[in-house]
Amino acid sequence: MRREPHVRFCERAVVKFRRATHRNIYVRSERAGQRVMKSITRFITQKLKLKVNEAKSAVARPQERKFLGFSFTAGPDIKRRIAPKSLERFKQRIREITRRAKGVSIKTTMEELVPYMRGWRGYFGFCETPEVLIALTRWVRLRLRSALWRQWKTPRRRRAALVALGVLGELRNAAGSGRGPWHLARSKALSVGLSNAHFKSLGLPSLVDAR
């Protein structure tokens, strides 16, 4: 949509808008943005007799705004990215699932985690910043390693779990470590025992896989 011609088109075509709509209009300059903002506001309030939510309406750079969960990167090479609030909502949901993981089986955790991640990937995989998806996938695996370490509770059970996962030699000594679960989630022992391939075998999807 570009400037005033879009508004005039709407007026001539008697376009009907849904009661609650969200629109982003992109123009070349802030001055043009202010002009279009004023024109659109006048059209909505006077012609359509609707209210404009001023708290959610603004003239700003594309990277400062979000639309349907997406935003844009800054710089000459502009890319479609996932908006920060969308990323935080994803992390919050994963935290909720993995917190419960310490009290249930890994199968139960996967039954909740897998469909959520697949659905999220199906929507946000449309972004043009795959490095973010790679980092999120790694972060999810760390959350799972940390949750399982908590679930095993005692050094004896942790050692038995590491042995069962095929961890060899001195790496098993991690079972007696006094460091916290989040620190040990990054350890070589858990990276070997609870490897990427192990989680893939449990059905954990990658956020960067093709749809």
Side-chain angles (χ1 to χ4, degrees):
M1 295 185 288
R2 293 186 180 179
R3 305 184 181 182
E4 289 84 349
H6 174 74
V7 178
R8 291 197 293 272
F9 169 79
C10 291
E11 291 174 336
R12 289 196 299 269
V14 194
V15 174
K16 293 183 179 180
F17 291 87
R18 294 180 181 179
R19 183 172 60 180
T21 60
H22 299 272
R23 296 289 184 269
N24 279 15
I25 302 174
Y26 300 96
V27 294
R28 291 182 179 274
S29 67
E30 183 178 355
R31 184 177 178 182
Q34 296 290 354
R35 186 170 63 248
V36 172
M37 179 76 157
K38 185 176 180 180
S39 179
I40 288 288
T41 301
R42 183 173 61 250
F43 172 71
I44 292 174
T45 56
Q46 296 180 9
K47 293 288 185 177
L48 301 181
K49 306 301 182 184
L50 298 173
K51 290 185 67 175
V52 173
N53 188 330
E54 295 183 0
K56 294 184 178 181
S57 302
V59 176
R61 294 182 181 277
Q63 59 267 27
E64 296 172 359
R65 305 295 291 175
K66 67 181 183 68
F67 184 63
L68 300 177
F70 288 93
S71 185
F72 294 95
T73 60
D77 186 18
I78 298 175
K79 295 181 180 180
R80 184 173 52 253
R81 65 168 183 155
I82 303 170
K85 285 187 178 180
S86 299
L87 292 174
E88 186 51 42
R89 281 196 293 270
F90 172 82
K91 286 190 169 185
Q92 184 57 38
R93 181 66 178 134
I94 297 300
R95 288 187 188 102
E96 292 171 359
I97 295 173
T98 53
R99 282 193 195 106
R100 292 194 291 272
K102 64 180 180 181
V104 299
S105 68
I106 188 65
K107 180 181 177 181
T108 300
T109 298
M110 288 299 171
E111 287 174 353
E112 187 174 8
L113 185 62
V114 171
Y116 175 74
M117 287 185 65
R118 284 179 178 165
W120 197 88
R121 181 187 67 194
Y123 185 81
F124 287 105
F126 182 62
C127 77
E128 297 175 319
T129 52
E131 63 275 7
V132 173
L133 301 179
I134 293 171
L136 284 177
T137 302
R138 290 172 178 167
W139 181 79
V140 171
R141 288 194 291 258
L142 286 173
R143 291 288 308 181
L144 286 170
R145 288 175 185 136
S146 178
L148 286 170
W149 192 255
R150 286 191 178 94
Q151 189 180 88
W152 296 335
K153 293 184 179 179
T154 66
R156 183 177 178 181
R157 289 182 61 187
R158 287 168 176 170
R159 186 176 181 84
L162 292 176
V163 171
L165 289 168
V167 178
L168 303 174
E170 294 182 357
L171 291 180
R172 298 176 181 178
N173 294 337
S177 174
R179 292 184 177 272
W182 186 245
H183 177 88
L184 287 166
R186 300 173 182 272
S187 69
K188 187 173 181 180
L190 289 191
S191 295
V192 171
L194 299 174
S195 64
N196 298 355
H198 175 78
F199 285 123
K200 186 175 181 180
S201 72
L202 295 177
L204 185 72
S206 168
L207 297 175
V208 291
D209 285 345
R211 297 186 194 182

